[in-house]
Amino acid sequence: MNGPTAGRAGPPAGEAAAPPGATVRDRTEDDLADCVRILAEVHVGDGYPVNWPERPGTWLTPASALGAWVAEVDGRPAGHVGLCRAAEGDLAPVVWSKRTGRSVESAAVVGRLFVAPGARARGIGGLLVGRAVREARRHGLHPVLDVVASDTAAAALYERLGWERLATVEQLWGPDRRVSVHCYAAPATPSGRSAGRAGTPTP
């Protein structure tokens, strides 16, 4: 039969269905070496992160972290995502707060998202984003994120998942370097309400 299977709901708003052979699990200390290796491949190929961290393992484990996850394809690490409380320098929580009238602390920031070059075009990015979204909502927080405007592939992923671009902001990343950053917020929960304050409709 063509089309969706009757009676089976699709993934929640802001998430993607799991691709064949792919799983997501909590990241462990033993995963950090593989994650740094994949991150280095992504940095060379895509320029993410824009500024290579002096201690990449530490960059993947910020103090504000609420969780971090690894995607595996056929049992091998293929991607990573993290979720953090809003911290100084994060633009999206501030923009979202001004848009909704909610506190910055009601947001959680999805970040440190990357997929190994050899594992792309399989839905891994969407799977990782979905895991971070579920964790944010479990904490009663609304997922938001910042993405460099030049990273068109990442922006396209978020928009396919229904995320809303709230604003594009110029940010100073060095004495003579200004970078355009898109700020996104996840779509409403399936009930039509935004996470973070019960009973408050999504704007």
Side-chain angles (χ1 to χ4, degrees):
M1 178 187 297
N2 294 327
T5 302
R8 188 166 73 186
E15 302 187 26
T23 58
V24 172
R25 58 171 175 77
D26 291 347
R27 191 194 70 201
T28 69
E29 286 292 324
D30 292 341
D31 294 316
L32 278 177
D34 282 328
C35 290
V36 169
R37 173 183 55 78
I38 294 169
L39 182 65
E41 294 175 4
V42 172
H43 178 69
V44 170
D46 303 331
Y48 175 82
V50 173
N51 298 315
W52 180 254
E54 182 178 347
R55 300 174 65 184
T58 301
W59 184 78
L60 291 172
T61 55
S64 58
L66 292 168
W69 300 271
V70 169
E72 290 187 335
V73 174
D74 299 327
R76 300 184 62 182
H80 176 277
V81 71
L83 182 75
C84 296
R85 295 193 179 276
E88 184 177 358
D90 292 326
L91 297 174
V94 176
V95 174
W96 176 81
S97 175
K98 291 178 178 177
R99 174 75 69 90
T100 63
R102 310 257 293 283
S103 69
V104 169
E105 292 76 20
S106 296
V109 181
V110 178
R112 275 47 169 185
L113 172 66
F114 52 92
V115 176
R120 293 180 183 172
R122 299 182 62 171
I124 304 299
L127 190 63
L128 286 163
V129 170
R131 183 63 187 85
V133 165
R134 289 196 300 278
E135 183 69 7
R137 289 175 172 158
R138 189 177 73 82
H139 285 276
L141 303 173
H142 193 84
V144 299
L145 59 84
D146 298 326
V147 61
V148 177
S150 59
D151 192 346
T152 56
L157 167 65
Y158 304 131
E159 291 176 12
R160 282 198 305 273
L161 294 174
W163 287 57
E164 178 187 3
R165 186 185 299 181
L166 303 175
T168 300
V169 180
E170 293 289 320
Q171 195 172 36
L172 190 64
W173 282 21
D176 303 306
R177 186 175 190 183
R178 286 191 174 273
V179 177
S180 294
V181 177
H182 295 321
C183 302
Y184 283 90
T189 60
S191 65
R193 298 184 183 277
S194 177
R197 184 196 297 170
T200 302
T202 302

